[in-house]
Amino acid sequence: MSDSPETASLTDVPARRRTLLAALGLGVGVGVVGLPSPAMAAVAGWSNPTRGTLTSGYKTPSRPTHTGWDVAASQGTPVYATAAGTVRDIKTNSYPGDTSSGPLPGRSGNSVHLNHADSYFSYYGHLHRVLVSDGQQISCGQLIGLMGNTGNSTGPHLHFEIHRPRLTSVDPRVFLANRGITLGSTAPVGSTGYPSVSQGASGWVPRVIQYLVRARGISVVVDGDYGAGTVSAVRSFQSGRGLYADGLVGPITWTALVLPLREGNSGDLVRGLQTALNARGASLLVDGGFGSVTTSAVRSFQTRNGLVADGLVGPVSWSVLI
């Protein structure tokens, strides 16, 4: 068969994940976000809101009115509630360059504003997409939005604030550090799924990306080095799909790259799958043929990771595999 695999079976998606995917309006062909587990319990009820690089800080000399931290990563990186609470308000329908303020004065872009216990509240700005509604009850680590570039922003990032009672802002980096959480680095409660991969990376994950990009008809050398050629190829893929063409492979780009696979498929998509399975302990010949041996390796991986062992590589299997 060709690189056009059949649709994955719903049995690849456990019931609780199917519920989440439906809530996002993404369907089983796209969702990659995990749910909280006991091993990821919040420290004193608080969680890191996302992962990424810390850029602009809290009330720096050059930006004394900047009452939060900016955490930069690729567009579509999941953003999670830093604590349990209620959605105080949201802003949607913003766009890059939009300077209009939302419910919190002076802040632009799509946003979520949460009320927490003891009159604390948190703010999440410049979102690509808001995934909650006004008045909704939120648990610690719940997915609330996707990182974006809306509003007065120079690139995809999360603007994150924490306020004490009586609207007094605090340094969120220090606040979370006092609770054992490193802003931008500690795994958020409930987070699993695709990594963000950028220029300079090397190894089996860039090699998988190169196979997946090549499977879409874009020329790229498959060498495991995420260099300028791979960045250019990824940008070409992103542009062709209407994605933010930054050359970074984050959650949105991953979900556009991967397709469901099953026995009988062949080509570079299967080579990418076989490369990932080998990195997870299989010993497959990377020949691009999804035969019985690859099916057995898939079933073994699914069994070890608590997935339905049906040999079908759908969105959940892909996200756990990568």
Side-chain angles (χ1 to χ4, degrees):
M1 294 178 67
S2 69
D3 274 321
S4 299
E6 298 179 23
T7 302
S9 166
L10 279 175
T11 58
D12 185 55
V13 187
R16 62 177 186 160
R17 292 179 185 260
R18 265 181 269 156
T19 300
L20 174 61
L21 302 183
L24 299 184
L26 296 177
V28 296
V30 181
V32 300
V33 182
L35 295 173
S37 67
M40 294 183 178
V43 179
W46 292 86
S47 171
N48 187 20
T50 194
R51 277 178 152 165
T53 301
L54 300 184
T55 53
S56 186
Y58 177 80
K59 292 187 177 181
T60 61
S62 61
R63 300 184 70 189
T65 61
H66 191 249
T67 54
W69 272 90
D70 291 344
V71 186
S74 59
Q75 179 166 290
T77 297
V79 174
Y80 306 90
T82 196
T86 305
V87 178
R88 177 174 178 164
D89 49 54
I90 62 173
K91 181 180 180 181
T92 58
N93 299 318
S94 185
Y95 52 88
D98 176 21
T99 59
S100 63
S101 293
L104 197 61
R107 282 75 165 178
S108 63
N110 294 331
S111 63
V112 173
H113 196 175
L114 301 180
N115 282 334
H116 306 295
D118 300 321
S119 298
Y120 279 88
F121 72 80
S122 56
Y123 175 84
Y124 313 77
H126 302 301
L127 300 175
H128 172 67
R129 186 175 174 190
V130 170
L131 299 175
V132 293
S133 56
D134 284 335
Q136 183 177 341
Q137 296 294 311
I138 302 296
S139 60
C140 179
Q142 181 172 334
L143 179 72
I144 59 173
L146 303 177
M147 189 181 296
N149 187 37
T150 56
N152 186 15
S153 172
T154 57
H157 72 282
L158 170 70
H159 173 77
F160 175 61
E161 300 183 29
I162 293 178
H163 292 249
R164 287 193 183 108
R166 296 181 296 279
L167 305 181
T168 304
S169 69
V170 298
D171 185 332
R173 185 182 187 186
V174 174
F175 182 90
L176 292 181
N178 289 337
R179 289 155 179 79
I181 299 166
T182 302
L183 180 62
S185 298
T186 303
V189 172
S191 66
T192 61
Y194 298 107
S196 291
V197 188
S198 59
Q199 187 167 359
S202 62
W204 70 269
V205 176
R207 186 178 293 273
V208 170
I209 291 170
Q210 290 163 341
Y211 275 129
L212 298 183
V213 169
R214 198 170 73 176
R216 303 310 184 87
I218 300 170
S219 179
V220 63
V221 175
V222 179
D223 58 5
D225 290 325
Y226 204 113
T230 301
V231 170
S232 178
V234 169
R235 283 179 175 158
S236 179
F237 172 79
Q238 291 170 325
S239 295
R241 291 294 176 121
L243 305 176
Y244 186 80
D246 56 4
L248 304 176
V249 179
I252 287 181
T253 300
W254 273 114
T255 55
L257 275 173
V258 301
L259 289 173
L261 292 172
R262 64 188 306 165
E263 188 166 343
N265 292 136
S266 62
D268 278 331
L269 285 173
V270 177
R271 291 185 180 92
L273 169 65
Q274 291 168 330
T275 298
L277 287 169
N278 285 345
R280 299 303 189 187
S283 298
L284 298 172
L285 178 65
V286 181
D287 59 1
F290 199 138
S292 60
V293 177
T294 297
T295 299
S296 178
V298 169
R299 290 181 186 274
S300 177
F301 172 80
Q302 290 171 327
T303 299
R304 293 196 308 271
N305 287 275
L307 304 174
V308 176
D310 56 6
L312 304 177
V313 185
V316 174
S317 289
W318 267 117
S319 66
V320 176
L321 183 60
I322 301 296

